[in-house]
Structure formats: C-alpha cells, structure tokens
Amino acid sequence: MKAVIQRVSKASVTIEGKKVASISTGLMVLIGIVNEDTTEDIKWLTNKIVNLRVFGDENNIMNTSLLDVNGDAIVVSQFTLHASTKKGNRPSYIKAAKPDIAIPLYKSFVKQLENNLGKNVQTGQFGADMKVELLNDGPVTIIIDSKNKE
C-alpha cells in the first residue's frame, strides 16, 4: 500500500461539478493499493499517518501530528501511484489491485483511519473522475510504502 501524504491548509474533491469532500487544516492522503496488501498494511499505515509529525509546534518546528492539531483528512484512491514507467512512455498499471480487491481494502483503510483519528474522514469516490484541489502547506509531501517498513 502506497500513500502520498500532503499537509494542507485546505483541500477538496469535486465529482461532476459537485463538491463531495472539503477540509481545512489537515492531510490529503492519496492511496494506492496492490493485490498483496492486507489489514496489517492498513493498520501500520493508518497509525503512521495520524502520528506523523509534520505540523508546526509553538516554535514552528514540525513536531506535532494530525492528532495533536485535531486536523482533518481526505482520502482519495489513486491507482496511478503504482504506475510502472520502465518501458516506453505509457505507464503500466498492472501492479495496481483490481476493484474487487481494492475497494474493500480502501473502505477498510478509511474506517481504520477514522478509528485512529477519532472522527470522520472525508473521501473521494473510488473509480470516479475526481477534481482534487489543495493548498499544500509548506509544501510538505511525504511518500510512504507499507512494504518498506524497515
């Protein structure tokens, strides 16, 4: 499971002209799922995300987490995170999990993130053509792969 996490001042997701998710201070989480991902990947990654110290403390040093700042989160599924660009110019998405595997894991990821955060998490819509807007604060962008824990 791969996540691109961006600290945001604001973020939103729009589908067919309708805003379906919107947050202020928090994290935009783009999540890519592969067939080998498990509930253990979800537990590890969601715990890492809510405790990641990427927000400024009283001295403006990145030393506080999403939990510490009572921030919000938007999760957007993004199979393109597992693109292979080794051959040619057209990315291959063969590693990305198909919807029958990815959707239940995506839903479980969102639910676990909500449990860890203690509040509802905003989401896009799996498989939809989404317009994602965000104001990256910092900018701070972190990439985490649950297969690279060590």
Side-chain angles (χ1 to χ4, degrees), residues 25 49-57 61-71 116-117 119:
T25 300
I49 289 169
V50 299
N51 290 294
L52 202 59
R53 296 180 347 188
V54 294
F55 293 91
D57 62 13
I61 295 171
M62 286 196 295
N63 203 28
T64 58
S65 70
L66 188 61
L67 288 170
D68 296 328
V69 300
N70 194 30
N116 290 2
L117 196 53
K119 63 166 82 173

Side-chain angles (χ1 to χ4, degrees), residues 25 66-67 69-73 110-111 113-122:
T25 300
L66 188 61
L67 288 170
V69 300
N70 194 30
D72 294 311
V110 171
K111 184 73 169 162
L113 190 61
E114 288 177 333
N115 290 343
N116 290 2
L117 196 53
K119 63 166 82 173
N120 287 337
V121 169
Q122 303 274 322

Side-chain angles (χ1 to χ4, degrees), residues 79-100:
F79 72 92
T80 61
L81 293 181
H82 290 289
S84 173
T85 57
K86 289 183 180 181
K87 291 172 54 177
N89 293 320
R90 183 169 188 228
S92 169
Y93 305 108
I94 195 77
K95 290 183 182 180
K98 301 287 185 248
D100 61 320

